Amino acid sequence: MSNHLRRLTLVCTFLAALAASGCASRPETGFLAAVSDAAPGATEHSILVATTRKRDERPGTLFSGERAKPLDFAMVRLSVPATHKQGEIEWASSAPGNSQTDFVVRQAGYLDGEKAFLASLNAQLALRPRGSRKVLLFIHGYNTMFAESLYRFGQVVHDAKAPAVPVLFTWASRGALTQYVYDTNSATAARDDLERTIRLIFDSKAEQVNILAHSMGNWVTVEALRQIKISGKAPPIGKLGRIVLAAPDIDVDVFKSQMRRFGKPKKPFFIVVSKDDKALAASRFIAGGQERLGADGDTTELAELGAVVIDMTDVKATDSTNHGKFAQLAEIAPQLQRVLEHGVHKPHSPGSATHDAVSGSLEAIVAAPLAILGLPLKIITR
């Protein structure tokens, strides 16, 4: 066995043990079959989908982990139960689930190409008043089945009480720990399609476009944004909202070179890191010891390049790998947004900043631990 295969086997064994401790089963097939019963108190969210995945003929599945061309589209209406706990996904123990206790799908269907996608997006935007016509685009990470990406995004949208129209870009991950190389190549192959999706969204009637990427999804996201930058045909910068890179599985040196190519952005990238991220530690091992951006301890240089770093190392994770902490930010999203909008500055004294943050004031934000609604965060900016 080669050193590379031996390294990959060791990492996959390690991650499999972690996954087994945190999740008994995964929603592979049938979990997107529509549930007809509407549960009392449940909240429904309509999510638009753009994907490079192949359609799956198995009932209640929609898309597989195999690659397909051209870019495909769908719309899914999912339901979050009234008993939902912040930061969690109430997975069904068996397909298609119970709308009173589980995340379930109420309606799902494919869309016929770009025109249908754009029409559906504009129809959703038209339901919102002027000034609130925003889009939140989410790009998931490695080892993620389609249903998992959909439900995770639904949890984030629900917990954040996000008024934006949610759009999921899902690339062809096979949802298997042993498929790291396949997933990496799938993410890379999806760059052009993500660029196309971003341009479609900017061509819509959206007033603001925000982007959230997780894990390996950051690789395809930053690559797509880089392509847009060097094309010389950038969409209107006035529509661009926040770009949040959560637990990015990107080589730190590669990202720094990408940022230098971008130049100091007019609007900063927000990078969510955690030094205890076990999944990124495994990725670093596969990569021959090269540090991953989402677990990087040297945040100063990132700040100098124009990023705002949100360090969640001190936040207790709800998953065994510490890789999904970004989902816990959803609960405090409105408060965190208000903090960031006030600007980042040093307080007169560290003690007063901590007191203000804990007591609910959102004026102070510094490169020191702060508690915003109970989450201890460290925020670093230049």
Side-chain angles (χ1 to χ4, degrees), residues 16-37:
L18 290 174
S21 68
C23 182
S25 61
R26 298 176 70 187
E28 184 175 3
T29 60
F31 285 83
L32 300 180
V35 173
S36 58
D37 297 333

Side-chain angles (χ1 to χ4, degrees), residues 48-52 71-74 117 167-171 193 197:
L48 283 163
V49 177
T51 184
T52 59
L71 188 63
D72 205 355
F73 303 94
F117 170 79
V167 178
L168 168 66
F169 181 86
T170 173
W171 48 276
D193 292 300
T197 300

Side-chain angles (χ1 to χ4, degrees), residues 117-244:
F117 170 79
L118 195 55
S120 296
L121 176 55
N122 283 331
Q124 289 291 316
L125 289 166
L127 296 175
R128 291 153 171 80
R130 291 188 182 277
S132 299
R133 293 174 180 172
K134 303 178 182 180
V135 171
L136 175 60
L137 173 64
F138 175 62
I139 303 95
H140 64 78
Y142 151 69
N143 183 26
T144 304
M145 297 180 214
F146 174 65
E148 291 174 318
S149 68
L150 183 74
Y151 283 139
R152 173 55 71 193
F153 188 29
Q155 173 263 312
V156 169
V157 168
H158 182 83
D159 288 354
K161 298 178 176 60
V165 176
V167 178
L168 168 66
F169 181 86
T170 173
W171 48 276
S173 167
R174 280 181 173 160
L177 289 161
T178 55
Q179 296 294 317
Y180 187 90
V181 175
Y182 173 87
D183 276 17
T184 301
N185 291 333
S186 288
T188 303
R191 290 175 297 187
D192 292 348
D193 292 300
L194 178 55
E195 178 186 351
R196 180 60 185 157
T197 300
I198 292 171
R199 290 188 183 278
L200 281 172
I201 293 171
F202 271 91
D203 286 341
S204 75
K205 295 178 181 178
E207 297 164 334
Q208 186 183 88
V209 180
N210 300 285
I211 299 173
L212 168 64
H214 179 236
S215 188
M216 193 179 285
N218 287 279
W219 166 246
V220 62
T221 299
V222 176
E223 281 291 287
L225 293 174
R226 181 178 181 275
Q227 288 182 185
I228 291 173
K229 173 70 175 180
I230 64 179
S231 72
K233 299 178 181 178
I237 190 67
K239 277 192 176 186
L240 181 63
R242 288 197 171 81
I243 299 174
V244 180

